[in-house]
Protein backbone atom coordinates (compact mmCIF):
# COMPACT_ATOMS: atom_id res chain seq x y z
CA UNK A 1 0.00 0.00 0.00
CA UNK A 2 1.32 3.41 -0.97
CA UNK A 3 2.03 5.83 1.85
CA UNK A 4 1.06 9.01 0.02
CA UNK A 5 0.42 11.38 2.93
CA UNK A 6 3.93 11.06 4.31
CA UNK A 7 6.15 14.17 4.35
CA UNK A 8 9.87 13.90 4.86
CA UNK A 9 13.00 15.90 5.61
CA UNK A 10 16.36 14.79 4.26
CA UNK A 11 19.31 15.43 6.50
CA UNK A 12 22.99 14.53 6.47
CA UNK A 13 26.39 16.12 6.24
CA UNK A 14 27.42 18.72 3.65
CA UNK A 15 28.21 17.09 0.32
CA UNK A 16 26.29 13.87 0.98
CA UNK A 17 23.81 14.67 -1.82
CA UNK A 18 20.61 15.75 -0.04
CA UNK A 19 19.48 18.16 -2.77
CA UNK A 20 20.16 15.70 -5.60
CA UNK A 21 18.35 12.85 -3.86
CA UNK A 22 15.45 15.23 -3.11
CA UNK A 23 15.24 16.13 -6.80
CA UNK A 24 15.08 12.50 -7.93
CA UNK A 25 12.62 11.64 -5.20
CA UNK A 26 10.27 14.42 -6.23
CA UNK A 27 10.51 13.11 -9.81
CA UNK A 28 9.73 9.54 -8.73
CA UNK A 29 6.89 10.53 -6.42
CA UNK A 30 5.65 13.28 -8.73
CA UNK A 31 5.47 15.69 -5.85
CA UNK A 32 6.80 19.05 -4.78
CA UNK A 33 10.15 19.41 -3.06
CA UNK A 34 11.77 22.31 -1.33
CA UNK A 35 15.34 23.10 -0.43
CA UNK A 36 15.72 24.99 2.85
CA UNK A 37 18.96 26.72 1.81
CA UNK A 38 17.35 27.93 -1.44
CA UNK A 39 14.37 29.29 0.47
CA UNK A 40 16.74 31.13 2.82
CA UNK A 41 18.74 32.61 -0.07
CA UNK A 42 15.57 33.74 -1.82
CA UNK A 43 14.02 35.30 1.25
CA UNK A 44 17.28 36.99 2.34
CA UNK A 45 18.31 37.85 -1.24
CA UNK A 46 21.85 36.77 -0.34
CA UNK A 47 23.92 33.60 -0.56
CA UNK A 48 24.19 31.43 2.57
CA UNK A 49 27.95 32.11 2.62
CA UNK A 50 27.31 35.87 2.65
CA UNK A 51 24.81 35.55 5.52
CA UNK A 52 27.25 33.55 7.64
CA UNK A 53 30.20 35.80 6.81
CA UNK A 54 28.34 39.06 7.40
CA UNK A 55 25.88 38.24 10.19
CA UNK A 56 27.61 35.28 11.83
CA UNK A 57 26.64 31.66 12.38
CA UNK A 58 24.28 32.35 15.30
CA UNK A 59 22.19 34.73 13.19
CA UNK A 60 22.26 32.28 10.28
CA UNK A 61 20.84 29.58 12.56
CA UNK A 62 18.03 31.93 13.64
CA UNK A 63 17.20 32.71 10.01
CA UNK A 64 17.33 28.98 9.23
CA UNK A 65 14.85 28.16 12.01
CA UNK A 66 12.51 31.02 10.96
CA UNK A 67 12.47 29.72 7.39
CA UNK A 68 12.05 26.10 8.43
CA UNK A 69 9.05 27.11 10.56
CA UNK A 70 7.56 29.00 7.61
CA UNK A 71 8.01 26.05 5.26
CA UNK A 72 6.52 23.59 7.72
CA UNK A 73 3.50 25.80 8.28
CA UNK A 74 2.87 27.05 4.77
CA UNK A 75 4.30 24.70 2.18
CA UNK A 76 2.67 21.52 0.94
CA UNK A 77 6.01 20.19 -0.29
CA UNK A 78 6.31 16.53 0.54
CA UNK A 79 10.10 16.56 0.46
CA UNK A 80 12.26 19.06 2.29
CA UNK A 81 16.05 18.97 1.85
CA UNK A 82 17.63 20.57 4.92
CA UNK A 83 21.03 22.26 5.08
CA UNK A 84 23.54 20.01 6.85
CA UNK A 85 23.37 21.88 10.15
CA UNK A 86 19.60 22.33 10.45
CA UNK A 87 18.91 18.91 11.99
CA UNK A 88 21.63 19.46 14.62
CA UNK A 89 19.52 22.18 16.27
CA UNK A 90 17.09 20.76 18.82
CA UNK A 91 14.43 23.41 18.16
CA UNK A 92 14.42 22.43 14.47
CA UNK A 93 14.11 18.73 15.29
CA UNK A 94 11.17 19.46 17.57
CA UNK A 95 9.50 21.59 14.91
CA UNK A 96 9.91 18.79 12.36
CA UNK A 97 8.47 16.22 14.77
CA UNK A 98 5.59 18.46 15.81
CA UNK A 99 4.56 18.73 12.16
CA UNK A 100 4.68 14.94 11.85
CA UNK A 101 7.41 14.77 9.26
CA UNK A 102 9.58 11.70 8.90
CA UNK A 103 13.30 12.37 9.07
CA UNK A 104 15.77 10.58 6.83
CA UNK A 105 19.51 10.61 7.38
CA UNK A 106 21.62 10.17 4.26
CA UNK A 107 24.65 8.62 5.84
CA UNK A 108 28.05 8.42 4.23
CA UNK A 109 31.70 8.48 5.15
CA UNK A 110 33.74 11.65 5.44
CA UNK A 111 35.84 11.00 2.33
CA UNK A 112 32.75 10.85 0.14
CA UNK A 113 31.34 14.11 1.56
CA UNK A 114 34.69 15.89 1.39
CA UNK A 115 35.19 14.85 -2.23
CA UNK A 116 31.80 16.28 -3.18
CA UNK A 117 32.50 19.46 -1.20
CA UNK A 118 35.71 19.93 -3.19
CA UNK A 119 33.99 19.19 -6.51
CA UNK A 120 31.09 21.55 -5.83
CA UNK A 121 31.05 25.20 -6.89
CA UNK A 122 29.14 26.18 -3.73
CA UNK A 123 31.02 28.10 -1.09
CA UNK A 124 30.57 26.36 2.25
CA UNK A 125 31.91 28.52 5.08
CA UNK A 126 31.78 25.57 7.51
CA UNK A 127 33.85 23.34 5.25
CA UNK A 128 36.93 25.37 4.50
CA UNK A 129 39.53 23.23 6.20
CA UNK A 130 39.66 19.42 5.96
CA UNK A 131 40.67 18.78 9.57
CA UNK A 132 38.01 21.09 11.03
CA UNK A 133 35.38 19.71 8.68
CA UNK A 134 36.20 16.13 9.67
CA UNK A 135 35.82 17.12 13.33
CA UNK A 136 32.42 18.64 12.61
CA UNK A 137 31.46 15.50 10.69
CA UNK A 138 32.40 13.29 13.63
CA UNK A 139 30.65 15.48 16.21
CA UNK A 140 27.43 15.46 14.24
CA UNK A 141 27.07 11.70 13.77
CA UNK A 142 25.31 11.23 17.10
CA UNK A 143 22.70 13.85 16.21
CA UNK A 144 22.06 12.65 12.66
CA UNK A 145 21.56 9.27 14.30
CA UNK A 146 18.35 10.60 15.87
CA UNK A 147 16.63 10.63 12.48
CA UNK A 148 13.82 8.11 11.93
CA UNK A 149 15.46 6.42 8.94
CA UNK A 150 19.08 5.90 7.94
CA UNK A 151 20.08 5.30 4.33
CA UNK A 152 23.70 4.47 3.75
CA UNK A 153 25.13 6.05 0.62
CA UNK A 154 27.46 3.40 -0.76
CA UNK A 155 29.82 4.47 -3.56
CA UNK A 156 28.31 2.04 -6.05
CA UNK A 157 24.83 3.54 -5.64
CA UNK A 158 23.73 6.56 -7.66
CA UNK A 159 21.58 9.32 -6.16
CA UNK A 160 18.74 8.03 -8.33
CA UNK A 161 19.05 4.56 -6.81
CA UNK A 162 19.03 6.02 -3.31
CA UNK A 163 15.91 8.02 -4.16
CA UNK A 164 14.30 4.84 -5.51
CA UNK A 165 15.19 2.98 -2.31
CA UNK A 166 13.59 5.72 -0.19
CA UNK A 167 10.50 5.74 -2.39
CA UNK A 168 10.17 1.97 -1.98
CA UNK A 169 10.98 1.66 1.70
CA UNK A 170 9.54 4.85 3.18
CA UNK A 171 6.73 5.65 0.75
CA UNK A 172 5.99 1.98 -0.03
CA UNK A 173 5.93 2.62 -3.78
CA UNK A 174 6.41 -0.41 -6.00
CA UNK A 175 8.38 0.01 -9.21
CA UNK A 176 8.25 -2.57 -11.98
C1 LIG B 1 25.66 23.91 6.74
C2 LIG B 1 25.37 23.26 5.57
C3 LIG B 1 25.02 23.99 4.32
C4 LIG B 1 24.41 25.35 4.65
C5 LIG B 1 25.29 26.12 5.58
C6 LIG B 1 25.59 25.39 6.88
C7 LIG B 1 26.05 23.11 7.90
O1 LIG B 1 24.11 23.21 3.54
O2 LIG B 1 23.14 25.19 5.22
O3 LIG B 1 26.49 26.40 4.90
O4 LIG B 1 26.08 23.64 9.03
O5 LIG B 1 26.34 21.90 7.72
P1 LIG B 1 24.54 21.87 2.75
O6 LIG B 1 24.49 20.72 3.70
O7 LIG B 1 23.52 21.74 1.67
O8 LIG B 1 25.90 22.10 2.23
Amino acid sequence: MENSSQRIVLTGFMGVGKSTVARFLSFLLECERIDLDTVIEESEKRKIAAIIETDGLTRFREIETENLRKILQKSDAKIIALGGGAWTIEENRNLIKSHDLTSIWLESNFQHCWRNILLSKRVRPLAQDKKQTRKLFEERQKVYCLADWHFIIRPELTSFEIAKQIAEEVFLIKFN
Side-chain angles (χ1 to χ4, degrees), residues 60-127:
F60 169 69
R61 292 295 176 214
E62 286 167 6
I63 295 172
E64 187 176 51
T65 300
E66 283 161 21
N67 280 280
L68 176 63
R69 182 176 282 112
K70 245 187 272 169
I71 292 175
L72 292 171
Q73 283 169 354
K74 295 193 180 146
S75 162
D76 291 330
K78 217 180 222 192
I79 301 159
I80 302 172
L82 300 176
W87 178 257
T88 68
I89 307 295
E90 191 179 9
E91 185 178 354
N92 296 344
R93 295 198 298 276
N94 290 339
L95 269 173
I96 289 162
K97 279 178 211 153
S98 70
H99 282 82
D100 270 340
L101 272 81
T102 298
S103 48
I104 297 180
W105 175 24
L106 300 184
E107 181 182 359
S108 188
N109 59 39
F110 177 72
Q111 278 314 325
H112 172 85
C113 296
W114 183 248
R115 186 176 164 274
N116 289 340
I117 289 168
L118 292 181
L119 288 173
S120 154
K121 288 194 191 86
R122 280 185 54 196
V123 181
R124 290 179 162 101
L126 299 190

Side-chain angles (χ1 to χ4, degrees), residues 10 17-26 106 153 159 162-163 166:
L10 291 176
K18 301 177 288 292
S19 302
T20 314
V21 171
R23 205 166 50 238
F24 284 128
L25 203 45
S26 79
L106 300 184
I153 315 287
S159 298
I162 297 285
I166 297 174

